[in-house]
């Protein structure tokens, strides 16, 4: 989001950046496990992932996190409306 003219966090209660100096050495399964643990610890009810990420642009992280949490997963969303 740095340098973007659009703030992707408008309306969000909070946004978190989890950093790992060794992330480039981790596979998608390891990354998903760490993120799922953080989501559970934080008690989050909704998690948004972008297409490109720490999984070397394999587009797997969001789906793997959802599977670990037992959640549903939507991909390729252009717009989300929550009433």
């Amino acid at each position: 989001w740095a340098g973007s003219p659009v703030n992707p966090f408008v309306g969000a209660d909070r946004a978190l950046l989890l950093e790992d100096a060794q992330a480039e050495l981790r596979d998608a399964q390891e990354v998903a496990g760490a993120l799922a643990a953080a989501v559970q610890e934080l008690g989050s009810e909704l998690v948004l992932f972008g297409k490109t990420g720490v999984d070397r642009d394999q587009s797997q992280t969001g789906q793997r996190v959802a599977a670990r949490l037992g959640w549903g997963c939507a991909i390729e969303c252009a717009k989300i409306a929550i009433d």
Side-chain angles (χ1 to χ4, degrees), residues 22-42:
Q22 301 295 315
E24 69 277 356
L25 302 175
R26 310 216 189 281
D27 66 18
Q29 194 66 13
E30 291 174 306
V31 171
L35 292 173
V39 167
Q40 286 179 317
E41 184 177 325
L42 295 166

Side-chain angles (χ1 to χ4, degrees), residues 6-59:
V6 178
N7 179 354
F9 307 117
V10 171
D13 293 330
R14 63 183 164 174
L16 301 171
L17 173 62
L18 303 177
E19 295 183 288
D20 179 358
Q22 301 295 315
E24 69 277 356
L25 302 175
R26 310 216 189 281
D27 66 18
Q29 194 66 13
E30 291 174 306
V31 171
L35 292 173
V39 167
Q40 286 179 317
E41 184 177 325
L42 295 166
S44 301
E45 296 177 354
L46 174 67
V47 181
L48 303 176
F49 290 89
K51 180 179 180 228
T52 304
V54 296
D55 61 4
R56 297 174 192 84
D57 200 20
Q58 298 174 4
S59 206

